[in-house]
Amino acid sequence: MLDKAPNGKVSDLLKTLDKALSAGELEHAVDLFQTDCYWRDLVTFTWNIKTMEGKEQVRDMLKARLADTKPSNWKIADGEDASEADGITESWIQFETGVARGFGHLRLKDGRIWTLLTTMSELKGHEEPVGFDRPMGAKHGAERNRKTWKEEREAEAAELGYSRQPYCVIVGGGQGGIALGARLRQLNVPTIIVEKNERPGDSWRKRYKSLCLHDPVWYDHLPYLPFPRNWPVFSPKDKIGDWLEMYTKVMELNYWGSTECKKASYDEKSREWTVIVQRDGEEVVLKPKQLVLATGMSAKPNIPKFEGMDIFKGDQHHSSQHPGPDKYKNKKAVVIGSNNSAHDICAALWEVGADVTMVQRSTTHVVKSGSLMELGLASLYSEQAVQSGMTTAKADLIFASLPYKILHEFQIPVYNAIRERDADYYKRLEKAGFLLDYGDDDSGLFMKYLRRGSGYYIDVGASELVANGSIKLKSGVDVKKLTEHSVILSDGAELPADLVVYATGYGSMNGWAADLISREVADKVGKVWGLGSNTTKDPGPWEGEQRNMWKPTQQEGLWFHGGNLHQSRHYSQFLSLQLKARMEHIPTPVYGLQKVHHLA
């Protein structure tokens, strides 16, 4: 007899799972999972972002959460079919809980669940007004003193934060804050985005002039409003800045530009924040229930302290403050660092005729942009993927369905293929003295990003300048001190310098909590970012998800949001639903609240 087709296998298993969960038959449900299973839940069961690893953790979660969650109606997602390859059966699935509708992804191995992704799509009774439920816009008929759309928006802008308080304040108006603001707007959560720059997109406009996104357009869409089909593959900084400004207006966000957040404190009794901001020359006191720090992974500069910095007579600044190369033509520049910003700045300085030296203090993972796109991203984020029917939403969920515990196993073959393809390129870099790595376990760029948020360069041209000596290189050394006109290295070499750029990375986002709230709250929350992989700059123990990102923290009412454009888009959905549920007083018992192992 022939084995059942993939749809039959998945449908039978989901029916059995549905029946077991509905009846509270915990052991029957757990028996449907592989021993080495993974259940990644984005809010639906845990009101958290949490991965259960192995049957014991699945059992513990269900024991704690099944009665409250009330899952039902598990089935293959409408319009989808299961597929099978290499002994793995995969399917998109849908289900419900007592308060929400869910969507997910399932992989079966030997007839049992190997990986399960469950995500919250919408809260029942609080759906976004789309499709048949979209707002009318026009008000037909006649009504005295009727306000136009423009007048209503102006009234809202005048009231919110003054005569009427927002439920949520987002500190940081870059891509993360804007994406989350758009989600909350659609869920009717009164929100103010506070941004120190004058205009949306200024955080991009004010960076060095050669900056472009290193991620391709298919990876970078914002919620609701994708880039046009003729948008360039790699967005120049000013173009992405203009898009963010347009998006903020079109999505009707309450965006307070030229506004600085000065201080925030939380009242445990009233469960309310007091947020003091400086706006239009006056102090404004906001009283939100929820405070989101969307200040960016790359916004708290790590500025080193070297002897002699106080006597150096040239220009010196962190890469985040670099104005661009124009004023340094024919000058001698030293760039401390060897990751993305360092390479970009070195190349731009070389282009205007500066004599530029890169100081590489530790190894760097480098990958050609073309190789990364073709071998690393093409199956999910490329024009070929779009033409084959892949959507951004599905690509995001496929990526999310791979548990972090085993994600490196999927990445290693990709970067092995890249190393083989670009072997001559890597040999030329090493011959020039550049210190290469491929991640602690050869898993490459994206695992480095998830684990530590640093240590890599996506090559868009600068590596050739390093390889051929156009950008001078000093590697395997550190800075000993600065003199009035030079940088002295640990090997005794002296580099004459009119400019020193510290491309030395960024600190943990809880540093913003220390600045705005208190060191006690920052330590209570702990380090932000990283998986606990016990690899370089990502100390253990294993945590299984990004520390403190997009989920509840040890400080009630305090959230962290950000990451690249892909993460800002994808995780803003789940953070917005957590905030909406709290606003509507839907019970949100958090399972597996993250413990604090590291303070920074």
Side-chain angles (χ1 to χ4, degrees), residues 262-296:
K262 306 293 287 187
K263 194 70 180 169
S265 59
Y266 189 69
D267 188 315
E268 300 287 347
K269 290 183 179 179
S270 64
R271 302 175 75 182
E272 181 177 84
W273 289 95
T274 298
V275 181
I276 300 172
V277 304
Q278 193 77 20
R279 187 188 192 210
D280 295 334
E282 65 173 347
E283 187 174 278
V284 181
V285 179
L286 302 174
K287 293 281 192 176
K289 295 293 186 183
Q290 308 292 337
L291 179 63
V292 180
L293 299 187
T295 45

Side-chain angles (χ1 to χ4, degrees), residues 20-51:
L21 293 177
S22 297
E25 297 174 352
L26 203 65
E27 292 305 319
H28 192 184
V30 171
D31 191 51
L32 298 173
F33 288 79
Q34 286 278 333
T35 302
D36 64 337
C37 62
Y38 302 90
W39 182 344
R40 188 171 191 224
D41 181 59
L42 306 186
V43 184
T44 48
F45 280 73
T46 60
W47 290 105
N48 198 355
I49 294 178
K50 176 78 175 168
T51 299

Side-chain angles (χ1 to χ4, degrees), residues 335 357-361 432-433 435 471-478 489 491-495:
V335 177
T357 301
M358 176 188 292
V359 177
Q360 183 187 25
R361 301 185 295 169
L435 303 175
I471 294 173
K472 298 173 184 176
L473 177 68
K474 288 291 294 183
S475 58
V477 293
D478 209 332
L489 301 179
D491 65 355
E494 182 172 6
L495 305 176

